[in-house]
Amino acid sequence: MLLWVAGFIILLVKLTIVLGVVLFLAGYLVWVERKFLARLQIRLGPNRAGPYGLLQPLADIVKMITKEDTVPDGADRAFFLLAPAVVASTAILMFSVVPFGNDITLLGQRVPLVVTDLNIGLLFVLALSSLSVYGVALGGWASNSKYGLLGGIRGAAQMISYELSLGLSLIPIVMMAHSFSMVEIVEAQKSYPFILFQPVAFLIFVVSAMAESKRIPFDLPEAENELVAGYHTEYSGMRFGLFFLGEYVHIMVFGGILAVLFLGGWRGPFLPPVVWLLIKIFLVALFMIWVRGTLPRLRYDQLMDLGWKVLIPLALINILVTGAVGLIVH
Amino acid sequence: MQPAAAGAMSPFHAGVFSLVVFTVLVMLFIASQLFLAAWLGEKKKSPEKSRPYECGIIPTGSASFRYPVPFYLVAIFFLIFDVEGAFILTWAVVYREVGLAGYAQMSFFILLLLAGLFYIWKQGGLDWKEAYNRADS
Amino acid sequence: MERGVQPSRFLNIADRIINWSRKYSLWPMFFGLSCCFVEEAATFTSRYDLARFGAEVIRPSPRQSDLLIVSGTVFKKIAPVVLRLYEQMPEPKWVISMGSCANSGGMFDVYSVVQGVDQIIPVDVYVPGCPPRPEALLEGLVILQDKIMATEKPSRKVFHLGGGTQGTDRPILVNGATKSGDPRGPGYEGLPIRGTSIVPGPLHWGNRSDLMWTPPAHRRELSETDQAMAAELRERFGDKARLEPHSSDMPTFEVDPGSVKDVLRFLKNESKYKYKRLDDLTAIDESARRDSTWNGGLAEGISEAGLAGAFSRRERGRYPDFTVVYQLLSFDTASRVRIKSGLDAQDRARAQVSTASITDLWPSANWYEREVFDMFGIRFEGHPNLHRILMPEWWEGHPLRKDYPGRATEMAPYTLEDARKRQPMDAMELSTLDNKGPKGDTEFFLNIGPHHVSTHGLLRCIAGLEGEEIKSLDLEIGYHHRASEKLGERQSWHQYIPYTDRNDYLAGSSLEFSYVTAVETLAGIKVPERAQAVRVLLAELYRLSNHLVWMATFAHDVGAMTPNFYTFAEREMILDIIELITGGRLHAEFLRIGGLAADLPEGWKKAVDDLTAIFPRRLWEYEKLLRKNPIFLQRTKGIGRISLEEAMDWGVTGPNLRACGLAWDLRKKMPYSGYENYDFEIPTATEGDCYARYLVRVEEMRQSIRIIEQVAFNMPSGRYVTDDYRYAIPRREEMLKDIETLIHHFINVTRGMKIPVGEAYGVTEVPRGEHGYYVVSDGLGSAYRVRVRGPGFANIQTLPMMATGESIADLISIIGSMDVILPDIDR
């Protein structure tokens, strides 16, 4: 029993650290994005709030929390108030299946460095990512705002379309790893990362995941040039902040999952596993920011065309090819 | 392994229990944010503030419309393909075990799926822009 | 430790943390009213980098904004929107009033402008300037940050403890009570505002300009085609269309109201010269004319006796009540013709004046006629939707009538109640008004603008949507109506120059260029070669600067955020050159009638050479970001197509016309100011879509650089201003030498010079197309009527045609590709 309590405390500490690190990194990802975009655009970026503007995320969060929380007339209150929570919490929960190191031993017990090693880890990620559609669609719909509604609908259509290619692109990974478990997928990349064998799946996954996280060139649901702020037009203060947080956690999680599925997860020479995972996440995040700084935005029909006419057929064919090659090699 | 730490409730096992605890933690965090968002900050209601935003103009009519046909199409296609994707997933984990026969069957299934996709494509179900015009006529 | 101290200490610490956070997280709302917004936007770019203060997270929705920067002129029509957006921002919120217009109305003391935004919303920081430089806005932001840190005690409000302060706490000012309604400040109430006495009105006689002598207006010999066309008209219409014996700029006919439409139809369809474009359609209120001859003769003195009691103007003088002026252009012969038609009112109040509508001849006449109706109250029989266009529907009176007060300070002050009551028209109502009954079963009306990131100013599009497809599109303009035509009637000829810059705040001197060309044509002033070359230099520099802004915003409209920052770097370089030469950035105010304000400064050549050396390579770099980007191509190719025939019919000018395949550029077709001496091409494209417009503009930049190189290399020496000091402001060195010149200087600077009776149209190819000024002189120190022909007014009228059937995203691409700017649409 005592061991259970000690273990529980260790678990709590571990999970709190994971949560804290995820939130902290998401917050600082905002800072990284603002600084990195600034450098891309020959600017300095925030540098007044703390040295190098390092306290900028703190300023933003305190400001947003102490800002008035407005709800427009005619809004569906319950949905309106909860929608940001759906987006933020599903994004954070997705991180729970990302392993960040080999097991370590504490109190004579093996403590796995992953929140949960579900044997259906991959499906769990896909399921949560589908759930976050609700946050976007309901948030836009419940605002009683036309821009919100249009953004919400765009979001729903876009996210479910790319959900398909996202799922299909991962099937070859499952085939190669024989498992849905993220831990086992990392295990399967002991000798080589999957990106070497599945470049097509990698590309499809990157594109779909970017569409899922609603960033340029796929930021149609919030396209400020067209829909003002899209589904979060009516959100103020910390509720908007949660959408914001959700987006950046999503980038992190996407980086983490990408690292796990294609880049060998926490594996890497010399440095500790956690550091390797963070480096990989960071590089993925930088890539996404770079893309944001470079590309224009697709139009709705072009976005759907890309999803349905290019990515889905490609993903299906990729499965067939992987299967054939796999069987022959076997 | 000692009995106290074994099983589904083991804190040392990265299983559902750990996930539940993590979920609770996340929910607590989100709830705290929602609570702070709702509690902190001065509230000043005014008729204009609670009017939905529409570029500074008083909105006309309600913010809802009859969903155009293409959106339903997306939903239906998604349902079909997602369900069928689930079949492929189940096959994927065991594809080596089921061998060539399984692969042949699955290839047939996937080709069928592709054929279906091309059929929809051909029928104009994926022409999002033209779909508007068709729905109009 | 005492118990009571603890909470207050806690609150003090909380105050500091909250204030510090807010200070560095002031997210401004994306809202620009006019010129100042361009400088506000520049503040975000590389050289100034507002991001350093944590304030670059510019939010399109008021819900997420903390700071409202009122940048530019607050119009009475937009004021309710400004108020609503402010009220829709959550607490706490702050306001920076940027620029003279927002502070006090600035130089726009006219009927359509609110004299200071502080009359409707509270203001924390005023940033002076017209427009303020980006550095000034940075200073304003820092002052606001300091104010937040120093004076606010937010924690009591945040924790609901009662008391505390946060956000703007200043009161709204009331004109006449807490602020002076007098633009000169308090204490001058007894004195008439300077300039009011020179404004021609029905009872305005005895102007001292009459004491001055000038030669009669410039007389232009008719060209052969003009004579042939006149013969054609004489043959067909006989006495109904009378060629005026003298004109300064183009053949001018006076046509009986009954025959106007026939004459116009003839000129458009049957004449050998095919006057295909309706260049302009406007009117003149002749009621304040002095009794001078109709056709450019000298003022003959005043005979008031004969005027009293006469019912119609025509009976007592030679002027009708109103003149409607049509101006046509022939692409084949590169010539223009002006048709004037005098209208007499049926009653003394001049409420019933009407003539035939020509909307069935030229579709573009629709807006022109609505504008004439709005401004003069002239009705057009047969017009499909004759209602106000620039002024809001609730407006009383017709502002360009001579008996209408021009100044806002002569009218009742604009108050908070007005801003609450005078709401913009309901979308459904307006759409019904424009379409004559509901169209189809569209039930979902979406207002895109006036506050929207991508309408490039205060343009309101009302889209009838089905899903995202635009089923119907109606435009509402007039949110940026700055009354520049009315202003022309009260500013002296020279004083009007600064107003012309502001009619297109991205093209600066190019507009002064058109205006001074008009006045110089009318008075027959010869401009020295050096001045001509400098004018070309400035015009091309502004073309570059404008196209760079356009490239940035167009890219931004299709979602690419970075080109903005790149192109603004070169734009700053160009503005530095302009600043070196003229002292101004956006508004150069450097051209003068007869020449320039000053000679070129030392070091101008090196600055220009530096630019021409790097520009082509930089442009190519920026282009690579767009032209080779498949997404950009997908978003622009085949979108918003307009055919050449339609473009000519609708009066589309500039790059938008050239993108349809017609090599029509005034610089080549009707060269002015020495453009014939430079070697350059007219870029064209054939598709008429967004991508074609992109190609044309980018190529135009390359051509502009060529012209700039040539001008700089061949800069002639000599005078920078004409020595005809009757019309020009003399050079200072000469003024100090002899008494004649001193007197000219004194007269021309104070009272303003006199321009002979007559009329002339001056037009140049500005970055957006043909921007012309039609000036009418009654022989006084200020114009009798100034008409501004903005290219945007005609160009934007084609938007509904281009965008109907496309999606919202395409609408945004199309607006971006058209390069619209509101002040030249609403003027």
Side-chain angles (χ1 to χ4, degrees):
Chain A
M1 191 60 208
L2 198 65
L3 188 65
W4 191 89
V5 171
F8 188 72
I9 290 168
I10 291 173
L11 181 70
L12 266 186
V13 169
K14 180 179 89 178
L15 297 184
T16 314
I17 290 175
V18 170
L19 182 61
V21 167
V22 168
L23 293 174
F24 178 83
L25 287 182
Y28 270 88
L29 200 55
V30 183
W31 177 84
V32 169
E33 169 153 47
R34 286 169 76 171
K35 283 302 241 192
F36 185 48
L37 271 183
R39 301 318 298 207
L40 285 179
Q41 297 163 349
I42 348 170
R43 299 184 286 121
L44 290 171
N47 66 359
R48 291 295 196 276
Y52 305 103
L54 274 170
L55 298 180
Q56 191 64 47
L58 202 69
D60 288 336
I61 286 170
V62 173
K63 182 209 71 178
M64 283 198 282
I65 284 188
T66 59
K67 189 111 180 136
E68 184 183 6
D69 179 33
T70 58
V71 184
D73 272 349
D76 195 312
R77 270 191 90 87
F79 285 132
F80 182 84
L81 296 180
L82 289 177
V86 174
V87 171
S89 53
T90 49
I92 302 174
L93 281 178
M94 264 192 258
F95 200 80
S96 60
V97 291
V98 175
F100 40 87
N102 233 331
D103 297 355
I104 54 169
T105 308
L106 271 182
L107 302 178
Q109 293 281 339
R110 289 169 63 77
V111 179
L113 287 186
V114 59
V115 173
T116 174
D117 176 22
L118 296 178
N119 53 7
I120 48 150
L122 209 54
L123 296 183
F124 180 75
V125 169
L126 293 177
L128 281 176
S129 141
S130 297
L131 269 180
S132 72
V133 178
Y134 283 104
V136 172
L138 286 179
W141 172 81
S143 305
N144 188 32
S145 154
K146 292 177 189 169
Y147 283 107
L149 177 69
L150 287 171
I153 288 177
R154 273 184 178 191
Q158 166 179 342
M159 290 170 81
I160 63 173
S161 295
Y162 279 80
E163 197 63 47
L164 284 178
S165 45
L166 191 77
L168 292 177
S169 75
L170 295 183
I171 289 178
I173 299 295
V174 177
M175 291 163 77
M176 292 183 73
H178 286 274
S179 169
F180 291 120
S181 154
M182 305 290 264
V183 174
E184 281 171 40
I185 290 173
V186 174
E187 209 55 35
Q189 299 179 69
K190 211 177 252 168
S191 37
Y192 47 80
F194 282 163
I195 183 174
L196 297 178
F197 291 81
Q198 289 294 344
V200 177
F202 175 74
L203 282 179
I204 299 172
F205 180 81
V206 168
V207 173
S208 311
M210 274 164 78
E212 286 286 299
S213 49
K214 303 179 291 299
R215 287 177 60 87
I216 279 179
F218 304 104
D219 68 335
L220 282 85
E222 51 186 287
E224 62 164 38
N225 308 83
E226 294 155 25
L227 300 185
V228 184
Y231 64 94
H232 55 54
T233 301
E234 293 293 343
Y235 282 91
S236 66
M238 199 53 204
R239 266 178 234 284
F240 167 69
L242 284 176
F243 275 127
F244 211 63
L245 182 77
E247 181 182 330
Y248 285 89
V249 173
H250 208 121
I251 296 175
M252 286 226 7
V253 170
F254 160 56
I257 292 171
L258 190 85
V260 166
L261 297 181
F262 293 98
L263 305 177
W266 44 262
R267 290 182 184 283
F270 311 123
L271 297 170
V274 180
V275 177
W276 267 112
L277 185 72
L278 289 180
I279 288 176
K280 287 170 183 173
I281 291 177
F282 183 68
L283 288 179
V284 173
L286 277 191
F287 172 75
M288 292 190 72
I289 297 168
W290 185 20
V291 167
R292 182 178 174 207
T294 311
L295 290 185
R297 176 186 306 117
L298 285 164
R299 199 176 58 212
Y300 176 73
D301 58 308
Q302 294 160 352
L303 173 99
M304 299 300 270
D305 276 357
L306 178 65
W308 286 93
K309 295 182 182 171
V310 180
L311 296 185
I312 292 178
L314 206 60
L316 286 174
I317 293 168
N318 194 32
I319 295 169
L320 287 181
V321 173
T322 309
V325 172
L327 283 180
I328 291 166
V329 171
H330 198 56
Chain B
M1 205 168 277
Q2 296 180 11
M9 293 292 280
S10 159
F12 294 105
H13 184 67
V16 175
F17 178 69
S18 174
L19 177 63
V20 169
V21 177
F22 189 64
T23 311
V24 169
L25 277 179
V26 172
M27 291 305 160
L28 279 178
F29 167 74
I30 299 287
S32 73
Q33 294 305 306
L34 287 181
F35 167 72
L36 286 177
W39 176 56
L40 291 179
E42 184 189 14
K43 305 278 183 293
K44 246 192 211 170
K45 281 241 161 221
S46 80
E48 283 303 338
K49 193 176 276 176
S50 46
R51 196 195 293 279
Y53 165 88
E54 195 179 325
C55 295
I57 305 276
I58 301 173
T60 304
S62 74
S64 63
F65 52 46
R66 286 177 306 161
Y67 287 66
V69 180
F71 288 114
Y72 286 111
L73 290 181
V74 177
I76 291 166
F77 297 161
F78 169 72
L79 273 183
I80 297 168
F81 280 86
D82 210 34
V83 169
E84 291 171 357
F87 288 123
I88 308 179
L89 276 170
T90 48
W91 163 75
V93 219
V94 292
Y95 91 109
R96 269 182 220 169
E97 286 78 352
V98 295
L100 198 61
Y103 177 72
Q105 285 164 11
M106 196 37 75
S107 307
F108 178 70
F109 180 69
I110 289 175
L111 288 175
L112 209 63
L113 212 59
L114 273 171
L117 185 66
F118 286 120
Y119 177 73
I120 302 174
W121 190 338
K122 196 94 176 133
Q123 290 292 305
L126 302 183
D127 296 337
W128 311 108
K129 214 170 183 188
E130 284 76 47
Y132 290 129
N133 303 336
R134 233 193 14 264
D136 192 36
S137 56
Chain C
M1 200 171 280
E2 289 172 87
R3 289 185 67 90
V5 176
Q6 288 285 23
S8 85
R9 256 179 75 182
F10 166 75
L11 287 179
N12 278 341
I13 295 168
D15 272 341
R16 285 176 60 182
I17 294 174
I18 294 171
N19 279 338
W20 177 87
S21 303
R22 287 175 173 176
K23 170 182 172 183
Y24 286 121
S25 185
L26 283 170
W27 293 356
M29 181 154 67
F30 202 123
F31 188 30
L33 290 160
S34 49
C35 332
C36 288
F37 183 69
V38 180
E39 289 295 45
E40 186 191 332
T43 315
F44 288 84
T45 58
S46 316
R47 184 187 283 185
Y48 308 101
D49 195 19
L50 194 63
R52 291 175 292 146
F53 302 89
E56 90 276 31
V57 191
I58 187 162
R59 296 306 310 168
S61 161
R63 307 295 188 192
Q64 295 134 26
S65 321
D66 310 291
L67 171 63
L68 175 62
I69 302 178
V70 185
S71 54
T73 318
V74 187
F75 305 91
K76 287 181 183 167
K77 198 172 178 180
I78 198 74
V81 176
V82 177
L83 178 64
R84 170 162 304 114
L85 291 174
Y86 173 74
E87 294 194 333
Q88 288 191 339
M89 288 165 67
E91 308 292 331
K93 50 194 169 190
W94 295 272
V95 179
I96 290 182
S97 163
M98 180 184 182
S100 304
C101 288
N103 295 344
S104 68
M107 63 199 278
F108 291 97
D109 178 12
V110 280
Y111 56 87
S112 61
V113 173
V114 178
Q115 300 296 300
V117 74
D118 49 13
Q119 286 168 221
I120 54 167
I121 58 174
V123 172
D124 288 288
V125 177
Y126 296 87
V127 180
C130 186
R133 300 178 59 97
E135 294 93 333
L137 181 59
L138 290 178
E139 168 78 11
L141 183 79
V142 172
I143 291 175
L144 180 61
Q145 288 186 334
D146 291 347
K147 183 238 161 193
I148 292 172
M149 273 317 259
T151 64
E152 294 186 7
K153 299 263 171 228
S155 52
R156 297 194 72 86
K157 274 202 189 307
V158 167
F159 297 111
H160 310 288
L161 297 173
T165 53
Q166 67 173 6
T168 311
D169 49 3
R170 305 231 189 142
I172 293 167
L173 302 184
V174 179
N175 203 335
T178 47
K179 83 179 235 189
S180 166
D182 195 310
R184 297 162 300 183
Y188 286 89
E189 289 78 6
L191 297 170
I193 292 172
R194 180 174 175 268
T196 41
S197 64
I198 66 148
V199 177
L203 296 173
H204 173 71
W205 309 106
N207 191 291
R208 291 175 68 190
S209 297
D210 288 331
L211 302 175
M212 300 193 277
W213 181 87
T214 58
H218 170 68
R219 290 179 183 181
R220 174 181 174 274
E221 299 299 326
L222 292 191
S223 69
E224 266 174 42
T225 48
D226 288 344
Q227 282 172 358
M229 182 268 298
E232 257 188 357
L233 267 186
R234 194 163 46 242
E235 194 183 314
R236 173 73 187 265
F237 293 98
D239 210 24
K240 285 181 190 153
R242 299 169 294 280
L243 177 67
E244 290 188 1
H246 310 298
S247 62
S248 305
D249 52 348
M250 63 183 89
T252 305
F253 294 86
E254 208 205 336
V255 179
D256 294 340
S259 320
V260 160
K261 201 165 168 182
D262 295 330
V263 170
L264 292 172
R265 184 180 292 121
F266 175 79
L267 286 171
K268 185 187 181 196
N269 299 325
E270 295 164 41
S271 158
K272 210 161 64 190
Y273 306 105
K274 297 267 183 290
Y275 289 83
K276 274 202 182 155
R277 186 210 282 168
L278 176 69
D279 229 6
D280 197 12
L281 191 171
T282 187
I284 306 168
D285 177 2
E286 308 278 18
S287 62
R289 285 279 196 174
R290 286 129 17 103
D291 189 28
S292 48
T293 46
W294 179 217
N295 287 316
L298 300 178
E300 284 169 359
I302 301 130
S303 58
E304 264 178 277
L307 295 171
F311 173 72
S312 153
R313 293 251 133 211
R314 202 190 286 273
E315 287 166 37
R316 63 191 190 211
R318 299 188 189 201
Y319 288 104
D321 274 331
F322 296 95
T323 306
V324 180
V325 184
Y326 305 85
Q327 186 177 301
L328 312 183
L329 177 125
S330 159
F331 289 102
D332 302 342
T333 59
S335 63
R336 293 196 168 86
V337 60
R338 180 183 295 127
I339 305 293
K340 300 208 297 193
S341 154
L343 297 180
D344 282 317
Q346 305 301 309
D347 57 347
R348 184 170 279 278
R350 303 191 301 149
Q352 294 172 28
V353 205
S354 67
T355 184
S357 163
I358 57 161
T359 41
D360 46 347
L361 279 179
W362 278 281
S364 59
N366 187 312
W367 277 19
Y368 285 107
E369 290 181 351
R370 276 175 65 192
E371 189 191 351
V372 171
F373 166 70
D374 193 359
M375 292 290 134
F376 293 93
I378 299 173
R379 306 198 69 87
F380 290 85
E381 307 298 337
H383 190 288
N385 55 330
L386 194 66
H387 65 101
R388 285 186 185 274
I389 183 164
L390 297 179
M391 305 312 296
E393 228 43 68
W394 51 264
W395 197 263
E396 280 169 25
H398 301 285
L400 280 181
R401 288 194 170 191
K402 287 290 176 183
D403 50 7
Y404 193 88
R407 289 178 188 272
T409 41
E410 291 171 87
M411 308 167 86
Y414 192 85
T415 60
L416 188 64
E417 288 70 53
D418 291 323
R420 291 220 188 282
K421 207 168 82 187
R422 306 295 196 186
Q423 290 299 332
M425 207 175 194
D426 180 70
M428 178 99 78
E429 219 175 296
L430 197 80
S431 179
T432 315
L433 202 57
D434 275 344
N435 292 312
K436 286 280 169 200
K439 209 162 47 176
D441 59 345
T442 16
E443 57 200 62
F444 190 73
F445 281 102
L446 181 70
N447 288 299
I448 303 174
H451 167 247
H452 191 276
V453 176
S454 296
T455 50
H456 294 232
L458 306 173
L459 174 69
R460 181 181 177 199
C461 306
I462 297 160
L465 290 180
E466 196 174 300
E468 287 212 15
E469 196 209 359
I470 296 169
K471 286 282 170 195
S472 72
L473 185 71
D474 297 286
L475 299 182
E476 195 193 9
I477 60 169
Y479 287 101
H480 200 291
H481 177 59
R482 249 185 328 201
S484 25
E485 296 185 4
K486 190 81 175 176
L487 279 162
E489 297 172 15
R490 77 158 195 242
Q491 300 296 324
S492 76
W493 293 98
H494 256 130
Q495 279 178 335
Y496 186 60
I497 291 174
Y499 289 94
T500 62
D501 288 85
R502 286 155 179 85
N503 280 336
D504 178 345
Y505 40 74
L506 289 174
S509 294
S510 313
L511 288 99
E512 303 165 29
F513 202 171
S514 296
Y515 170 72
V516 296
T517 308
V519 180
E520 286 157 2
T521 311
L522 174 56
I525 302 166
K526 298 272 173 298
V527 183
E529 272 189 8
R530 187 173 174 84
Q532 290 192 8
V534 175
R535 286 176 177 187
V536 169
L537 176 70
L538 286 174
E540 295 306 319
L541 284 173
Y542 271 115
R543 192 183 317 278
L544 279 185
S545 134
N546 174 76
H547 283 5
L548 285 174
V549 175
W550 159 81
M551 195 171 175
T553 49
F554 185 32
H556 191 245
D557 287 338
V558 295
M561 63 187 307
T562 303
N564 231 326
F565 295 91
Y566 293 164
T567 61
F568 266 64
E570 266 66 55
R571 179 173 179 268
E572 284 296 332
M573 201 169 168
I574 293 167
L575 291 185
D576 282 347
I577 300 176
I578 289 170
E579 193 179 350
L580 176 72
I581 297 175
T582 71
R585 272 165 62 88
L586 292 193
H587 305 316
E589 297 154 18
F590 188 63
L591 270 51
R592 295 289 180 270
I593 293 163
L596 309 168
D599 206 351
L600 287 172
E602 250 175 68
W604 71 272
K605 183 78 171 35
K606 181 169 184 310
V608 171
D609 288 346
D610 288 350
L611 176 76
T612 52
I614 62 147
F615 193 83
R617 207 184 70 240
R618 293 278 171 86
L619 183 61
W620 178 237
E621 270 176 35
Y622 305 157
E623 255 227 286
K624 277 195 290 190
L625 272 177
L626 298 173
R627 199 190 282 206
K628 297 193 172 175
N629 187 312
I631 299 178
F632 180 76
L633 296 183
Q634 278 197 336
R635 288 292 310 272
T636 54
K637 275 192 172 167
I639 308 295
R641 203 164 261 167
I642 182 170
S643 74
L644 177 59
E645 211 48 45
E646 285 169 329
M648 295 202 291
D649 224 22
W650 283 87
V652 173
T653 55
N656 295 344
L657 176 65
R658 294 191 278 278
C660 301
L662 185 70
W664 179 266
D665 188 319
L666 291 184
R667 293 175 293 172
K668 276 270 193 235
K669 298 290 173 179
M670 300 170 149
Y672 51 91
S673 202
Y675 265 112
E676 61 275 17
N677 305 330
Y678 305 115
D679 181 26
F680 66 100
E681 264 117 58
I682 311 176
T684 55
T686 49
E687 296 296 311
D689 56 5
C690 292
Y691 186 61
R693 292 189 274 272
Y694 166 82
L695 291 179
V696 167
R697 287 206 174 79
V698 170
E699 191 51 38
E700 270 190 25
M701 287 198 247
R702 301 217 167 85
Q703 300 300 330
S704 286
I705 271 290
R706 276 176 75 187
I707 300 175
I708 289 170
E709 269 171 350
Q710 295 171 52
V711 185
F713 189 72
N714 300 319
M715 180 60 69
S717 55
R719 300 181 59 88
Y720 64 82
V721 70
T722 175
D723 57 3
D724 189 356
Y725 284 156
R726 175 176 291 117
Y727 298 122
I729 291 178
R731 285 165 56 178
R732 192 164 182 85
E733 343 35 304
E734 286 167 33
M735 173 200 104
L736 293 172
K737 272 191 194 128
D738 67 283
I739 187 72
E740 278 296 311
T741 320
L742 181 68
I743 291 171
H744 275 304
H745 190 279
F746 180 75
I747 298 278
N748 289 355
V749 167
T750 53
R751 186 195 301 158
M753 79 276 202
K754 168 185 171 169
I755 294 289
V757 181
E759 60 194 356
Y761 180 66
V763 62
T764 62
E765 188 79 32
V766 309
R768 278 178 192 76
E770 295 174 25
H771 197 119
Y773 285 82
Y774 169 51
V775 294
V776 180
S777 171
D778 205 24
L780 289 177
S782 52
Y784 182 77
R785 166 102 172 88
V786 175
R787 159 70 180 167
V788 186
R789 190 261 177 218
F793 192 74
N795 291 355
I796 195 80
Q797 218 188 145
T798 59
L799 181 60
M801 199 171 71
M802 290 188 203
T804 309
E806 309 268 17
S807 67
I808 297 178
D810 290 333
L811 171 70
I812 303 302
S813 298
I814 297 170
I815 295 179
S817 74
M818 287 173 77
D819 195 17
V820 298
I821 191 164
L822 267 292
D824 86 338
I825 298 174
D826 295 343
R827 286 153 288 133

